[in-house]
Amino acid sequence: PPPTQARVLELLQEGRVNFLRLQFTDILGTIKNIEVPRSQFEKALSGGVMFDGSSIQGFTRIEESDMLLAPDLSTFLIYPQFSREEGERGKVARIICDVNLPSGEPFPGDPRFVLKRQIARAAEAGLTLYAGTEPEFFLFERGEDGRGTTRTGDHAGYFDLAPLDKGERLRREIANKLVEMGFEIEGAHHEAAPGQHEIDFRYQDALAAADAISTFKFVVKRVALEYGLLASFLPKPVAGVNGSGLHVHLSLFRDGHNTFHDPAGEFELSETALHFIGGLLEHSPGICALTNPTVNSFKRLVPGFEAPVNVAWSTSNRSALVRVPAKRGNSTRAEFRLPDPSCNPYLALAVMLAAGLDGIEQKTVPPPAIQRNIYQMTVREKRHHRVRELPRDLYDALDSLERDEVISAALGNHALEHYLRAKRAEWRNYAAVVHPWEIEQYLDLV
Ligand code: GLN
Ligand code: MG
Ligand code: MG
Ligand code: MG
């Protein structure tokens, strides 16, 4: 059970906390916070802090610009010390907040509320979604001017065993900080590309998983800064090597039992699991607009880099969109390999859950599992096996989102409208820029 207000106040006193951050995210997943000093702790904990939402991305609606931050006391934690100077100024704690209208009703544009609504829908059917996430990221050097570069200073990750490599030390430091903050980390390792790393979270309920990812990104960046490096969650910062994904292992529990397992089913998967996978596959083009939300996201989704390109599932192959890892029993799960870490984790989990629940309700049967490397299949073979392609770019993905009634409904009108508007503007900006590749390719050719 979450601690009471009085208990959190006590913890703030005992922990010598000077500032409390009231944390939430905008529609794009950017972490936002309002920091309050001691004198405001009581007011903050009782949900009395108001802010002007009109300049927050996706919150804009002049007529409802005053919003209240309602703290979710179960998310209270005291930040570890990130730097020496910081320590001298006293400790900082944070609480994740829901965003409410002045009437006390939830604000429909709050991504956390969008996820909670799907969680409630699952709960009506007696189901709880669990999610285990595997965020990947790059550590880059900063230039003389302090700005980020795409240099890694990590020349391989293959032959550089590098016990003294900055990246290795930093990754361990990040994992330590996360453990200190109470997160359950299952492992941390170097990924395939130079300078690329991964930290794996133990599975937890969907809301906690989304809260963890948004906090995680902040912590990684903060610790990297301390080491003079830049941590980037850009899905494809360097062409020609693996990009960064955010694989999500999904399972649905009922009364403490994993509904995905059925010893008698094919692959020991239950009908529920198959329908859930069916829903994920069917809605993946629309989902993509949330799980892969940047122009750059689609440069990761190309053949040859362990990222999905086609709509297919498999019990073995890592080129598939959904892979079912070998573990069974209560560990039976579907690994959704589409998302990348530039997504808003609340919206991403909300639409994954909505798609899976729709699959269960509609009894969607997925196409047969594909066990071979899909990158190597011909167009004819793909057609034969009912393997569709994912959207090619953000423009396509946004259209797929708008056409998908299930995914659109999961966002709700307010979030959908603002999301499409912000993302289409982003696309238009990109489309109007002349990129270096075009100059290189065409300048003296045409
Ligand atoms: N980096 C790959 C991706 O883009 C995943 C690699 C892996 O974890 N096997 O999804
Ligand atoms: Mg992994
Ligand atoms: Mg990985
Ligand atoms: Mg994985």
Side-chain angles (χ1 to χ4, degrees):
T4 60
Q5 255 183 59
R7 179 66 192 135
V8 174
L9 262 179
E10 247 171 49
L11 291 170
L12 285 164
Q13 306 293 347
E14 286 166 14
R16 296 171 182 283
V17 174
N18 280 341
F19 286 98
L20 176 61
R21 287 187 181 162
L22 302 171
Q23 179 185 321
F24 58 103
T25 59
D26 69 8
I27 200 145
L28 304 181
T30 311
I31 195 167
K32 300 279 167 186
N33 71 95
I34 291 171
E35 199 170 80
V36 300
R38 276 172 185 240
S39 60
Q40 304 296 306
F41 285 178
E42 269 196 77
K43 178 178 165 195
L45 291 180
S46 55
V49 170
M50 197 170 247
F51 73 104
D52 175 6
S54 65
S55 51
I56 305 272
Q57 182 72 268
F59 280 23
T60 43
R61 236 197 214 179
I62 297 299
E63 71 273 20
E64 41 186 50
S65 62
D66 280 333
M67 309 212 186
L68 284 167
L69 290 173
D72 178 340
L73 299 180
S74 67
T75 65
F76 173 78
L77 64 81
I78 298 177
Y79 274 123
Q81 194 175 312
F82 291 116
S83 68
R84 181 135 6 90
E85 315 89 76
E86 195 176 62
E88 283 159 5
R89 274 185 265 122
K91 290 201 177 148
V92 179
R94 80 89 205 265
I95 288 192
I96 297 180
C97 298
D98 292 315
V99 181
N100 288 342
L101 298 170
S103 64
E105 304 241 328
F107 167 57
D110 176 13
R112 201 166 187 261
F113 171 66
V114 171
L115 174 55
K116 280 182 155 184
R117 196 166 47 202
Q118 292 308 310
I119 290 172
R121 198 179 137 207
E124 266 170 41
L127 297 168
T128 307
L129 179 72
Y130 284 94
T133 55
E134 305 179 64
E136 295 174 335
F137 58 94
F138 280 82
L139 295 174
F140 291 123
E141 290 177 351
R142 288 177 186 275
E144 303 272 277
D145 55 358
R147 293 185 58 129
T149 70
T150 51
R151 290 194 306 271
T152 64
D154 166 6
H155 299 290
Y158 282 105
F159 38 86
D160 245 353
L161 274 182
L164 291 174
D165 172 68
K166 251 190 187 172
E168 301 279 331
R169 268 194 289 145
L170 173 48
R171 194 185 62 229
R172 202 161 302 135
E173 179 64 15
I174 291 166
N176 280 338
K177 287 278 186 270
L178 292 166
V179 170
E180 260 182 71
M181 288 167 71
F183 290 108
E184 283 196 74
I185 303 299
E186 286 203 324
H189 64 87
H190 200 289
E191 252 300 340
Q196 193 184 27
H197 302 269
E198 171 175 325
I199 292 183
D200 300 330
F201 284 83
R202 189 185 142 79
Y203 72 93
Q204 51 193 332
D205 72 77
L207 189 63
D211 283 342
I213 287 293
S214 71
T215 304
F216 167 79
K217 285 171 67 172
F218 162 74
V219 172
V220 173
K221 284 175 184 287
R222 187 67 189 78
V223 181
L225 187 67
E226 223 42 61
Y227 278 63
L229 294 178
L230 171 84
S232 178
F233 294 94
L234 188 66
K236 189 83 174 187
V238 182
V241 297
N242 268 22
S244 293
L246 171 62
H247 299 170
V248 183
H249 294 252
L250 300 161
S251 55
L252 274 181
F253 277 65
R254 173 180 278 123
D255 304 325
H257 284 284
N258 187 338
T259 64
F260 280 8
H261 187 226
D262 176 2
E266 192 188 2
F267 307 117
E268 285 190 50
L269 292 176
S270 67
E271 295 266 284
T272 305
L274 291 173
H275 294 152
F276 190 94
I277 292 170
L280 273 180
L281 296 188
E282 183 186 337
H283 295 291
S284 55
I287 290 177
C288 203
L290 289 311
T291 51
N292 307 74
T294 59
V295 165
N296 181 262
S297 293
F298 294 85
K299 302 189 175 177
R300 165 177 167 256
L301 304 177
V302 297
F305 299 100
E306 296 183 89
V309 181
N310 297 287
V311 180
W313 72 288
S314 174
T315 55
S316 58
N317 202 284
R318 287 165 201 269
S319 56
L321 181 65
V322 172
R323 185 177 74 95
V324 178
K327 289 255 179 77
R328 289 295 179 271
N330 262 356
S331 306
T332 313
R333 60 196 188 250
E335 180 189 28
F336 193 48
R337 300 174 60 87
L338 182 59
D340 73 52
S342 68
C343 71
N344 179 326
Y346 298 99
L347 299 181
L349 276 159
V351 295
M352 286 178 232
L353 179 51
L357 290 177
D358 182 62
I360 292 171
E361 282 161 14
Q362 309 295 327
K363 302 198 188 311
T364 310
V365 178
I370 308 273
Q371 308 298 17
R372 35 186 291 228
N373 188 338
I374 302 161
Y375 298 150
Q376 287 161 1
M377 285 169 87
T378 64
V379 174
R380 262 191 73 182
E381 285 173 318
K382 284 185 199 166
R383 204 176 306 132
H384 178 75
H385 290 98
R386 293 200 280 142
V387 173
R388 285 181 303 151
E389 283 193 1
L390 286 166
R392 291 280 170 113
D393 52 36
L394 182 59
Y395 181 91
D396 242 12
L398 294 170
D399 280 354
S400 303
L401 164 60
E402 206 173 19
R403 274 197 303 271
D404 189 320
E405 282 169 20
V406 169
I407 304 302
S408 292
L411 293 181
N413 282 338
H414 187 286
L416 177 69
E417 222 177 88
H418 283 86
Y419 192 81
L420 286 174
R421 195 181 307 148
K423 287 293 165 184
R424 286 196 166 126
E426 199 172 313
W427 173 265
R428 276 195 304 275
N429 277 344
Y430 167 72
V433 169
V434 178
H435 300 273
W437 183 90
E438 298 167 70
I439 300 297
E440 221 173 88
Q441 190 79 6
Y442 303 126
L443 192 64
D444 54 13
L445 182 74
V446 294

